[in-house]
Amino acid sequence: MSNYVPPNQIRQLRACMVCSVVQLQSRFIREGCPNCESFLDLAGHPDSVQECTSQVYEGLITLVDPERSWVAKWQRLDGYVPGVYAVKVVGMLPDEVLTHLEDTGVKYIPRDGSAQDDEN
């Protein structure tokens, strides 16, 4: 499937709050998140897409080879699928999603830039 987004659909783009991949809302609903689907289960669940993705994000990064890209390492995107990613994603995951991530062993790093302050 093509990643092309017509100009009249730009407002339908959303970013995953866990991995920061950016795609159309309809694609999140149809296919889920290409990186997080195994634990977020977004496909076919519009309410989950609303809760776990955000329309508010800053900057875009296009990754062709995430394993070799220094930008991917810097943004903690190495290991993800090639695609378009947001530099920062604004929003908070619901508490039940955070608990589920913890229970499944997924280390959640907020994509809003706040985690960088905690690491210093």
Side-chain angles (χ1 to χ4, degrees), residues 15-22 75 77 80 84-87 89 111:
C16 176
M17 285 192 244
V18 177
C19 72
S20 78
V21 71
V22 175
Q75 290 294 124
L77 301 173
Y80 289 159
V84 178
Y85 292 83
V87 175
V89 181
R111 296 290 177 170

Side-chain angles (χ1 to χ4, degrees), residues 2-13 22-24:
S2 171
N3 287 324
Y4 173 74
V5 177
N8 65 344
Q9 292 186 6
I10 298 277
R11 290 184 182 263
Q12 300 299 315
L13 289 172
V22 175
Q23 55 187 21
L24 288 170

Side-chain angles (χ1 to χ4, degrees), residues 1 6 20 22 30-31 39 43 47 54 56-57 60-61 70 72-73 75 79 91 95 102 108-109 117:
M1 174 174 256
S20 78
V22 175
R30 188 175 54 254
E31 300 173 17
F39 50 86
D47 291 341
S54 174
V56 184
Y57 55 86
L60 291 174
I61 299 168
W70 68 268
K73 287 175 183 53
Q75 290 294 124
D95 289 337
E102 189 175 301
Y108 172 64
I109 301 170
D117 297 334

